[in-house]
Amino acid sequence: MILKTGIFILFTLIITISLAVLQQKINLDFEKITLPQLAPAIAFLLTVLIFKDLPFSVNFHFNKPVVIKTLIAFVTPLLLFGISFFAGKQAGLNVKMTENLQSLLPIMLSGILIGAIAEEIGWRGFLQPTLEKKYTILIAAIIVGAIWGLWHIGHYKNGLLFMSGFLLFSVSASIIIAWLLRGTQFNIIIAAVFHIAINLGFAVFFKSSLSDSRLMLINGIVWLIPAAILSVILFMQNK
């Protein structure tokens, strides 16, 4: 298990850097699609090719419970980003909602959709279920969230405070997703919709101040509150 996850993470890192360089070389607009988002899915496929006995956990099955959880997955990130936005305003931060969203969304939607599915195939389609073979759901979710957050190497330039807030957010989001995925055989629809809502939340509420360290820290704390509650639930259920 350690070897499989290690190779997956190594592949993801190498492919991410390669795709980032390629995107710069061909001058592809980041608003349309961010090529490095494809890295987790490509790394997953390469890992499957190496380990022939690796079980596929990518599940697109659709039923009533999945519909309910998908709706929750879409609403929850937008609600939490909204709370973070207004908390930032109350704290005196210069934050404002994106004004030209109607013109941006048609351009961004295809990239958001493709990127969200590609990432979740790797993070929640492979890494989460693989780690759950050795660890509890909660521990696996924390590990995935930390790796997911640290993988966003483009954010490092914003400093330690920003990354601390971003890691709080990514780990908290990972715990919430893991809770939603229980009993669904790691349904990619739920995970991808949650990820799409995250990207939309950033576009709507944070686009004008995406590098603001204080806002990201506030956002991390806001996301930590429901994640902490769910952590207690998951911990108690695994006792």
Side-chain angles (χ1 to χ4, degrees):
M1 189 274 292
I2 294 174
L3 179 62
K4 292 174 183 178
T5 54
I7 287 176
F8 166 77
I9 292 167
L10 179 62
F11 278 153
T12 301
L13 183 60
I14 293 171
I15 295 166
T16 298
I17 295 171
S18 301
L19 290 177
V21 172
L22 176 62
Q23 181 139 11
Q24 293 288 350
K25 290 287 185 182
I26 63 178
N27 199 28
L28 181 61
D29 188 354
F30 279 88
E31 294 286 3
K32 294 179 179 177
I33 188 170
T34 305
L35 289 181
Q37 284 188 292
L38 304 177
I42 298 172
F44 166 74
L45 292 174
L46 290 175
T47 307
V48 168
L49 290 175
I50 292 174
F51 297 99
K52 304 294 184 182
D53 61 334
L54 193 70
F56 286 85
S57 300
V58 180
N59 168 31
F60 288 92
H61 185 64
F62 208 66
N63 54 30
K64 187 176 178 180
V66 169
V67 171
I68 295 170
K69 288 193 172 187
T70 299
L71 289 174
I72 296 171
F74 184 74
V75 171
T76 300
L78 296 176
L79 176 63
L80 292 175
F81 276 119
I83 293 171
S84 299
F85 175 82
F86 288 109
K89 269 190 169 298
Q90 292 301 311
L93 302 183
N94 184 26
V95 293
K96 57 181 181 179
M97 294 178 66
T98 304
E99 295 176 354
N100 58 340
L101 192 63
Q102 279 187 319
S103 60
L104 283 175
L105 271 183
I107 300 172
M108 295 170 58
L109 275 177
S110 59
I112 287 174
L113 178 63
I114 294 169
I117 294 173
E119 280 196 50
E120 291 308 320
I121 285 173
W123 304 137
R124 254 62 64 166
F126 169 73
L127 194 55
Q128 178 76 27
T130 301
L131 288 172
E132 282 188 25
K133 292 175 182 176
K134 183 173 182 180
Y135 305 106
T136 64
I137 296 175
L138 179 59
I139 297 300
I142 291 171
I143 294 171
V144 173
I147 293 171
W148 180 29
L150 292 170
W151 171 74
H152 288 80
I153 53 179
H155 289 328
Y156 289 4
K157 66 180 184 293
N158 296 322
L160 181 60
L161 184 62
F162 181 97
M163 282 307 299
S164 298
F166 189 78
L167 281 171
L168 270 180
F169 153 73
S170 65
V171 171
S172 298
S174 186
I175 291 169
I176 297 171
I177 297 173
W179 181 78
L180 284 170
L181 289 177
R182 289 182 315 153
T184 69
Q185 297 179 317
F186 303 97
N187 193 288
I188 290 300
I189 297 172
I190 297 169
V193 167
F194 194 99
H195 203 127
I196 288 167
I198 285 175
N199 291 343
L200 286 174
F202 273 120
V204 173
F205 296 107
F206 280 29
K207 191 172 178 63
S208 64
S209 49
L210 186 56
S211 60
D212 190 316
S213 299
R214 293 170 298 171
L215 181 60
M216 187 55 68
L217 187 59
I218 289 171
N219 183 61
I221 294 169
V222 168
W223 279 74
L224 182 61
I225 295 169
I229 295 170
L230 293 177
S231 294
V232 173
I233 295 171
L234 290 171
F235 177 77
M236 294 303 293
Q237 288 176 343
N238 279 280
K239 286 188 69 175

